[in-house]
Amino acid sequence: IRTIFGDSEDYYGGDKWSQSHNGSFPHGNGQGNGNGPSLWSCISSPLLNILRDEGFGIKFESPISHECIKLSAIGFVDDMDYIQTESDLTGTSMEEIKCYTQKGLNLWDSMLRTTGGSLEIDKTKTDCVGI
């Protein structure tokens, strides 16, 4: 990097990257990239449509108009909350819903990997709510 203070001796990528990150390489389009939000929107929208079309996610139905809204996930930039409800799985056990949820997460993970992305395992968690 060249600034008015001179040239930086540090650099991004190459051998330094693989040594400092245990041989793993970056995924996605890079933190702070100016076109990151619009690029992620172009990448994630078809993936979210596939997830929804495969039956994963949430289904809301208006009690008056009976109009349905289906969401496959809720997200902001690259942080996604995948929520699976029982609405289309009425009468199933909690264990079956957990298995179905895992199938959805597996699909999401494989689609991310196909596009060059990856789940951040240390930012991934599961909560189960029964009412």
Side-chain angles (χ1 to χ4, degrees), residues 36-92:
S38 57
L39 182 58
W40 174 243
S41 178
C42 292
I43 292 170
S44 66
S45 292
L47 303 184
L48 292 169
N49 286 338
I50 291 169
L51 203 60
R52 186 187 62 224
D53 292 346
E54 290 296 316
F56 298 104
I58 315 166
K59 177 181 168 186
F60 296 104
E61 183 177 344
S62 168
I64 296 173
S65 69
H66 299 290
E67 185 175 342
C68 287
I69 298 173
K70 290 184 176 182
L71 300 174
S72 52
I74 300 167
F76 179 73
V77 188
D78 65 344
D79 289 325
M80 303 298 289
D81 289 329
Y82 167 73
I83 303 170
Q84 183 63 55
T85 62
E86 186 193 12
S87 62
D88 289 335
L89 305 171
T90 304
T92 57

Side-chain angles (χ1 to χ4, degrees), residues 13 15 27-29 38 43 45 53 63 65 68 77 79 83 94 96 104 106 108-109 118-119 126 128:
D15 293 337
H27 55 268
N29 60 346
S38 57
I43 292 170
S45 292
D53 292 346
S65 69
C68 287
V77 188
D79 289 325
I83 303 170
M94 188 61 78
E96 290 172 310
N106 290 348
W108 179 250
D109 182 49
S118 177
L119 288 176
T126 303
C128 191

Side-chain angles (χ1 to χ4, degrees), residues 115-127:
T115 63
S118 177
L119 288 176
E120 290 287 339
I121 298 302
D122 55 338
K123 290 173 52 177
T124 304
K125 68 176 191 159
T126 303
D127 292 312

